[in-house]
């Protein structure tokens, strides 16, 4: 994505208008800190990161845009476009139960990690706007964390952080303060930028590789379809996936499935079904199946062989539905499954579809032939609501902050 593209300039200008509205015009000669953090799409690796597996993730051409400056107090004042302004006192940085699932928790969590690394937190004003659809599975929370982290890194004296270290700090804020037990993929992709293969075998030291790749150069549009159901009430359902996978690992004296020998798993399936239940066993099966598919898709992208990539993507989607079971919670309401079914009707065997990200609600991911992209968007919007289907491109730059 071109850093001078109109959408980026629009985002910065919206943030500037909000800043002046909430905090006043900057003094003559006063500089503002410009902050950018992209959304992300999980290209491959559905719930493999928290088990020490592999993923392919792509930063997208939607982002959090922010402007910030010190305010000389001990309070962070944050204005977010479309939401009430908040204030977070930095006098104490301990987690607060009443801040769970709020932006205030992310501010306090990121400040806590910065303080633990020797920085001295000080108040600042920050105005933030976003083009990332909220609740759409594009990691808006990870982008906010990374934006806050890059702002604090620039505003408070201390050492710089590489992309993966910033990602770990962001994950800590989401786990310990926001209250969502996420893996590291979202934050890593947001901080790295571009299309990245990430290996999480060493939990606190993931290894990343980059590839310059544009799906449209190979005949396909990357479309994400909002299924019309948010993630707000699904924290327990999300948490159950790593919990059940890790319960299987624990049966072997391990903490993550990447440490378990598959042959040993095969020998103990009857015992695992009895002790942990069928769903835990199925989710472990998904992990190994999906992890192998990530490697095949990375090889296909590097070849490049878009047809092989699409074949593996279709197989991945089936694994998530049948084994991981994160497409539907059952019952009459099955928005993601309906969206997948409708997308398949339009594609009619071409391209590929799969559940995207955490699952259950949010979005589905579709690789749509370019000659079908306009019709595909129109029909999905007609079924699911205007604006439900959106076409994305990979953005090459991860989260950053720079002085104007």
């Amino acid at each position: 994505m071109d850093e001078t593209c109109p959408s980026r300039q629009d985002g910065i200008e919206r943030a500037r208008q909000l800043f002046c509205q909430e905090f006043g015009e900057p003094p003559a000669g006063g500089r503002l800190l410009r902050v950018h953090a992209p959304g992300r799409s999980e290209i491959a690796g559905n719930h493999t990161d928290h088990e020490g597996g592999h993923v392919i993730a792509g930063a997208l051409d939607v982002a959090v845009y922010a402007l910030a400056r010190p305010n000389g107090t001990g309070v962070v004042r944050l204005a977010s476009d479309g939401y009430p302004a908040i204030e977070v006192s930095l006098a104490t940085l301990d987690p607060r139960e009443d801040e769970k699932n709020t932006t205030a928790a992310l501010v306090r969590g990121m400040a806590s990690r910065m303080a633990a690394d020797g920085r001295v937190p000080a108040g600042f004003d920050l105005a933030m706007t976003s083009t990332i659809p909220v609740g759409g599975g594009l990691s808006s929370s990870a982008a906010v964390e990374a934006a806050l982290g890059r702002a604090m890194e620039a505003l408070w004296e201390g050492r710089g952080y590489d992309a993966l270290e910033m990602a770990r700090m962001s994950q800590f804020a989401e786990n310990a303060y926001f209250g969502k037990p996420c893996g590291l993929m979202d934050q890593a992709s947001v901080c790295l930028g571009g299309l990245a293969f990430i290996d999480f075998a060493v939990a606190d030291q993931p290894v990343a590789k980059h590839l310059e790749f544009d799906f449209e150069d190979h005949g396909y549009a990357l479309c994400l379809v909002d299924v019309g159901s948010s993630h707000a009430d699904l924290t327990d359902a999300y948490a159950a996936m790593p919990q059940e996978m890790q319960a299987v690992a624990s049966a072997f004296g391990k903490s993550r499935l990447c440490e378990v020998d598959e042959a040993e798993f095969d020998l103990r399936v009857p015992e695992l079904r009895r002790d942990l239940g069928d769903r835990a066993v199925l989710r472990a099966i998904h992990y190994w199946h999906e992890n192998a598919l990530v490697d095949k898709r990375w090889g296909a992208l590097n070849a490049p062989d878009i047809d092989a990539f699409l074949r593996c993507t279709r197989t991945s989607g089936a694994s998530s539905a049948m084994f991981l079971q994160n497409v539907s919670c059952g019952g009459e309401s099955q928005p993601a499954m309906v969206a997948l079914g409708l997308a398949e009707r339009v594609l009619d065997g071409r391209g590929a579809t799969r559940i995207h990200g955490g699952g259950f609600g949010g979005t589905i991911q579709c690789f749509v032939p370019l000659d079908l992209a306009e019709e595909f968007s129109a029909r999905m919007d007609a079924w699911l609501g205007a604006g439900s289907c959106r076409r994305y491109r990979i953005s090459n730059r991860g989260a950053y902050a720079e002085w104007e």
Side-chain angles (χ1 to χ4, degrees):
M1 172 184 148
D2 185 351
E3 290 298 310
T4 64
C5 72
S7 62
R8 178 177 180 271
Q9 294 303 318
D10 289 347
I12 293 167
E13 288 310 309
R14 284 173 55 199
R16 192 181 310 281
Q17 292 169 12
L18 181 62
F19 190 96
C20 294
Q21 174 187 316
E22 294 290 334
F23 308 120
E25 293 278 352
R31 294 191 304 165
L32 292 176
L33 182 71
R34 182 182 295 178
V35 187
H36 173 273
R40 74 94 185 95
S41 177
E42 170 206 282
I43 303 299
N46 200 214
H47 284 275
T48 51
D49 58 331
H50 49 71
E51 297 311 300
H54 304 159
V55 303
I56 305 170
L60 299 176
D61 55 347
V62 288
V64 165
Y65 302 95
L67 292 170
R69 70 176 178 199
N71 62 21
T73 74
V75 175
V76 173
R77 302 191 301 176
L78 189 150
S80 184
D81 196 8
Y83 297 90
I86 64 170
E87 294 189 359
V88 180
S89 171
L90 300 173
T92 175
L93 299 179
D94 294 330
R96 288 175 44 167
E97 192 64 30
D98 64 322
E99 288 182 347
K100 289 286 180 69
N101 298 302
T102 70
T103 302
L106 300 180
V107 173
R108 200 178 303 279
M110 293 304 296
S112 171
R113 290 300 290 159
M114 296 285 171
D117 193 49
R119 278 181 158 80
V120 179
F124 59 88
D125 297 332
L126 183 143
M128 177 173 62
T129 188
S130 175
T131 56
I132 305 172
V134 176
L138 274 65
S139 297
S140 56
S141 59
V144 170
E145 293 152 14
L148 289 168
R150 288 302 186 199
M152 293 173 183
E153 175 190 34
L155 292 168
W156 304 340
E157 186 175 350
R159 67 185 179 89
Y161 306 109
D162 66 26
L164 291 176
E165 188 168 10
M166 181 61 72
R168 290 192 293 273
M169 297 171 85
S170 300
Q171 181 198 27
F172 169 83
E174 185 150 347
N175 290 172
Y177 282 72
F178 190 81
K180 184 177 178 180
C182 66
L184 187 58
M185 181 191 69
D186 295 352
Q187 292 82 1
S189 179
V190 167
C191 293
L192 283 164
L195 197 64
F197 173 95
I198 311 171
D199 183 346
F200 292 99
V202 180
D204 59 349
Q205 294 292 331
V207 176
K209 302 175 184 176
H210 280 83
L211 176 67
E212 288 191 13
F213 192 94
D214 188 326
F215 289 101
E216 298 207 3
D217 289 344
H218 296 270
Y220 289 86
L222 169 59
C223 295
L224 298 176
V225 181
D226 187 337
V227 307
S229 176
S230 78
H231 295 153
D233 299 323
L234 294 169
T235 298
D236 289 344
Y238 289 127
M241 285 181 278
Q243 288 168 358
E244 291 180 6
M245 290 183 185
Q246 288 157 20
V248 173
S250 180
F252 294 87
K254 308 295 184 182
S255 60
R256 298 178 301 161
L257 284 176
C258 70
E259 303 163 355
V260 176
D261 182 86
E262 292 182 62
E264 291 186 28
F265 168 84
D266 290 344
L267 291 172
R268 294 177 57 182
V269 165
E271 168 197 338
L272 294 168
R273 292 182 65 193
R274 182 192 69 228
D275 294 344
L276 302 176
D278 284 349
R279 193 172 69 176
V281 170
L282 285 166
R283 285 176 165 169
I285 290 170
H286 165 81
Y287 165 74
W288 285 302
H289 191 40
E290 175 72 346
N291 207 48
L293 287 169
V294 173
D295 294 348
K296 290 178 181 178
R297 278 175 279 180
W298 184 246
L301 291 173
N302 277 272
D305 185 343
I306 193 67
D307 291 333
F309 170 83
L310 294 170
R311 286 194 298 272
C312 290
T313 298
R314 289 191 287 270
T315 304
S316 166
S319 182
S320 291
M322 294 188 299
F323 306 144
L324 183 61
Q325 298 184 22
N326 71 332
V327 175
S328 169
C329 288
E332 294 183 2
S333 178
Q334 300 186 45
M337 189 67 82
V338 168
L340 286 166
L342 294 172
E344 290 285 3
R345 285 181 64 79
V346 185
L347 291 173
D348 192 24
R350 302 175 68 191
T353 66
R354 62 190 282 271
I355 193 69
H356 179 255
F360 301 118
T363 57
I364 63 167
Q365 182 183 77
C366 307
F367 294 93
V368 182
L370 291 178
D371 65 355
L372 189 59
E374 191 171 325
E375 178 188 345
F376 181 86
S377 293
R379 293 184 67 180
M380 296 305 290
D381 282 358
W383 281 321
L384 300 176
S388 295
C389 182
R390 180 162 175 174
R391 189 164 161 178
Y392 294 89
R393 304 290 286 269
I394 300 297
S395 176
N396 289 324
R397 194 168 185 187
Y400 68 90
E402 59 188 15
W403 289 100
E404 292 192 325

